[in-house]
Amino acid sequence: MSRKLFIAGNWKMNLSRARSSDLAAALVEEIGKEAAVDTAVCPPSCYLMTVQQALGVSRIDLGAQNMWYEDQGAYTGEISADMLVDVGCKYVICGHSERRHVIGESDEVINRKVLKALSEGLNPILCVGELLEQRDGGQTMEVIRQQVTRDLEGVGASYAGGTTLADRLTIAYEPVWAIGTGRTATPDQAQEVHAAVRTLIGELYDETLAAELRIQYGGSVKPDNAAALLARPDIDGALVGGASLKAPDFAAIVRAGVELSD
Ligand code: PGA
């Protein structure tokens, strides 16, 4: 079973309208025709349309960093799944550690977002990951198992058009201690958790779906460590923060994926 690698850039709360547009244009130039791996960028929500325009007909897809799970109404400051689809988003990040630990999102909220994204035709990138004290306390697998199980509660295996959850969902393993710290999980550490997540998906769904589901690694992925991570059997891509803000760096990570895909 060969899974197509998927490299996504999470721009977080960075850049300006002009710089978002320039970055997207530079990426189109560098990797806009790349077909061997799937690529996406997730700009701040107020720049989604600007970036969508700059991406044009390139192969780089658009994603959002967050959404709310209700259809519409009195949810000041929130954006619905439908609105994200309306401005051209294919993906939405759900449960990023900064939303879990800085904003205080619970697994219950994240679960509702995943369910809503899927029902509205958006493909969720579900982030899970342990804190440093949890890793040091030997609780990594337990934390990941709990997050994945709770966040996927009630999430079905099949979707419209004969697609499966594996076509729609990406899980991103992002150890919190590795995010924005320059301290990457070693390929062995990441592979161990990715394999455990795949086994868990096999238990929650079935072996075929587990074999097809893509699991990205995130946490200080850079051009110089991407190849070693992406070469591991259960690492199917990367969710890139800091390095996705520089076109040459993000392009180099994508190219590392392309080389492994040949
Ligand atoms: P980082 O962020 O690459 O800057 O560590 C990754 C993420 O938070 O998705």
Side-chain angles (χ1 to χ4, degrees), residues 35-235:
V37 305
D38 287 336
T39 55
V41 292
C42 305
S45 52
C46 55
Y47 303 139
L48 282 168
M49 287 193 285
T50 303
V51 170
Q52 172 66 350
Q53 258 175 9
L55 294 177
V57 295
S58 77
R59 302 191 70 108
I60 306 169
D61 288 311
L62 187 68
Q65 298 174 17
N66 185 35
M67 54 164 266
W68 190 239
Y69 55 74
E70 298 288 356
D71 284 329
Q72 60 181 57
Y75 302 100
T76 302
E78 295 296 342
I79 297 177
S80 72
D82 214 27
M83 292 170 184
L84 296 180
V85 171
D86 196 22
V87 296
C89 288
K90 177 172 178 180
Y91 300 100
V92 61
I93 299 173
C94 296
H96 189 277
S97 75
E98 285 142 24
R99 297 211 61 88
R100 288 179 191 268
H101 301 295
V102 182
I103 318 280
E105 263 180 34
S106 65
D107 283 307
E108 193 196 338
V109 163
I110 295 162
N111 173 239
R112 294 175 81 153
K113 291 184 177 189
V114 170
L115 285 164
K116 190 66 184 172
L118 287 165
S119 76
E120 296 300 319
L122 275 173
N123 295 344
I125 299 173
L126 170 64
C127 301
V128 296
E130 81 285 5
L131 298 164
L132 183 58
E133 56 264 35
Q134 292 168 330
R135 173 156 285 263
D136 290 345
Q139 297 166 294
T140 298
M141 297 306 178
E142 191 187 315
V143 169
I144 302 296
R145 169 171 277 271
Q146 212 169 70
Q147 289 176 342
V148 171
T149 308
R150 289 180 179 168
D151 299 346
L152 294 183
E153 204 178 310
V155 171
S158 14
Y159 291 85
T163 58
T164 72
L165 185 61
D167 300 313
R168 304 289 312 281
L169 173 77
T170 302
I171 293 180
Y173 168 56
E174 300 205 304
V176 180
W177 47 271
I179 296 177
T181 57
R183 186 180 160 193
T184 326
T186 64
D188 281 348
Q189 283 174 323
Q191 166 59 29
E192 187 187 16
V193 177
H194 283 231
V197 170
R198 202 175 301 289
T199 302
L200 175 59
I201 294 296
E203 289 166 22
L204 295 174
Y205 296 92
D206 61 58
E207 293 303 321
T208 311
L209 204 149
E212 290 174 350
L213 184 93
R214 293 190 291 196
I215 306 172
Q216 293 176 323
Y217 168 79
S220 300
V221 176
K222 309 278 178 223
D224 63 0
N225 59 27
L229 287 158
L230 295 174
R232 302 313 298 263
D234 288 294
I235 302 181

